[in-house]
Amino acid sequence: MNPQATAPRYARITGTGGYLPPQRLSNDDMVAMLAARGIETSDAWIVERTGIRARHFADAGVTSSELALHAARQALAAAGRSAEDVDLIIVATSTPDMVFPSTACILQHKLGANGCAAFDLQAVCAGFVYALTVADSMVRAGTAQCALIVGAEVFSHLLDFNDRSTCVLFGDGAGAVVVEASGEPGILAADLHADGRHAGILCTPGTVCGGQVLGDPLLRMDGQAVFKLAVGVLDSAARAVLDKAGRSEADLDWLIPHQANIRIMASTARKLKLAPEKLVVTVDEHGNTSAASVPLALDAAVRSGRVQRGDTVLLEGVGGGFTWGAVLLDF
Ligand code: UT7
């Protein structure tokens, strides 16, 4: 019997990358921008309620695929791979370049990876953990060998700068990972959920019809409703994924949750009895970058030398849909 045929096949992250557009806006920059519209906010309110101190905005006309390209090139370089090695691209985004084709196809062409499978995945701020789970399944099934998974967003293009309760929260960016087939784990377990009853609490409800935008094309959020749901589901997803992998809270080296609000993140860490230094935080400098937030935070933690090979890492996403999920992995 061919030993290869029965050898376990896992999916592992072999490289990470991240990119933020150069324009950085501090909270004081936002205070000045909103003051010009007669709207009051303050650095103190934003820091106390969210932990955010700055965010990056792409210029008008800069697309998700452009941000994704920088992050993807970095991840490929870190993995020691070139675009020709990639046989699957998944882009998690809610701010695609076009209605169609997918941002993944546009990225594929920019990378020069023509020919491989490429598609977008839309699960808003849970998009990256959804995409990583799909890639894990496809790699373990033998459908892909070397997958490029990107979270890329230009949420600044959806913001209503007359709504202080949302426009100070979000930023733009892209994060990427290369996932390859391996004899060693790897991604250990995943747990994904959605509850469409809550579609209205975080949405951009407009659509395109007959050559016009129909409905409201800007981001709308009931922050308190999202907050309450997020705190509950992040805890249950963390426990579910640990159970599935036969691991416990004590096995965790790092928690990398969606970077939306430091209060939600710290509450998740506390419930898991994790020391605060095991929580990776980038929301202070990035704001909420939706599907890009988890891979950007992972990349920052890898590049700063905190997340090391072999560390056990819990990734968690939560957002519009309502969607949420967790992925547990040995890095
Ligand atoms: O990415 C998907 C996941 N998203 C999230 O996880 C977001 C979850 N939600 C949150 O993070 C929080 O609910 C927010 C940060 C959005 C809001 O924080 P909050 O503590 O829930 O504040 P609030 O909505 O209860 O508002 C408190 C007060 C209100 O004033 P009154 O009614 O008490 O007088 C708001 O009008 O804060 C006011 N406020 C602001 N004040 C200064 C709202 N936005 C601002 C602002 N600056 N930017």
Side-chain angles (χ1 to χ4, degrees), residues 74-296:
Q74 261 195 15
L76 287 169
R81 292 290 178 193
S82 65
E84 299 85 69
D85 297 321
V86 173
D87 57 7
L88 168 67
I89 298 175
I90 309 178
V91 175
T93 187
S94 301
T95 47
D97 291 21
M98 303 180 189
V99 173
F100 69 83
S102 70
T103 303
C105 286
I106 297 166
L107 173 65
Q108 184 211 52
H109 180 58
K110 287 180 176 172
L111 275 171
N114 297 343
C116 72
F119 62 93
D120 285 1
L121 192 152
Q122 223 279 39
V124 202
C125 303
F128 181 78
V129 294
Y130 263 72
L132 194 56
T133 305
V134 173
D136 172 49
S137 305
M138 289 179 73
V139 167
R140 281 190 293 108
T143 316
Q145 293 285 334
C146 178
L148 174 65
I149 312 305
V150 188
E153 303 280 17
V154 285
F155 257 54
S156 65
H157 298 181
L158 301 179
L159 296 177
D160 178 354
F161 289 98
N162 292 312
D163 176 7
R164 68 178 182 174
S165 71
T166 54
C167 72
V168 299
L169 305 177
F170 293 89
D172 302 335
V177 297
V178 175
V179 175
E180 296 189 59
S182 164
E184 303 287 318
I187 292 169
L188 303 169
D191 187 61
L192 301 180
H193 299 274
D195 187 344
R197 285 176 303 175
H198 304 295
I201 64 173
L202 175 50
C203 56
T204 296
T207 189
V208 177
C209 180
Q212 295 192 330
V213 175
L214 286 194
D216 183 354
L218 298 175
L219 182 148
R220 302 297 171 203
M221 180 167 75
D222 176 344
Q224 285 190 3
V226 173
F227 193 106
K228 274 188 206 136
L229 275 173
V231 165
V233 299
L234 287 172
D235 187 51
S236 60
R239 289 175 199 289
V241 84
L242 284 166
D243 262 11
K244 283 184 187 181
R247 301 276 181 105
S248 81
E249 302 153 352
D251 296 320
L252 289 176
D253 293 305
W254 300 102
L255 170 63
I256 308 186
H258 174 47
Q259 308 279 318
N261 187 316
I262 191 68
R263 292 185 287 144
I264 298 174
M265 295 160 59
S267 146
T268 307
R270 256 193 321 272
K271 288 181 182 172
L272 291 169
K273 299 189 179 63
L274 279 191
E277 57 275 15
K278 291 187 172 188
L279 174 66
V280 174
V281 177
T282 51
V283 70
D284 53 343
E285 271 299 310
H286 299 181
N288 179 348
T289 58
S290 189
S293 92
V294 171
L296 266 168

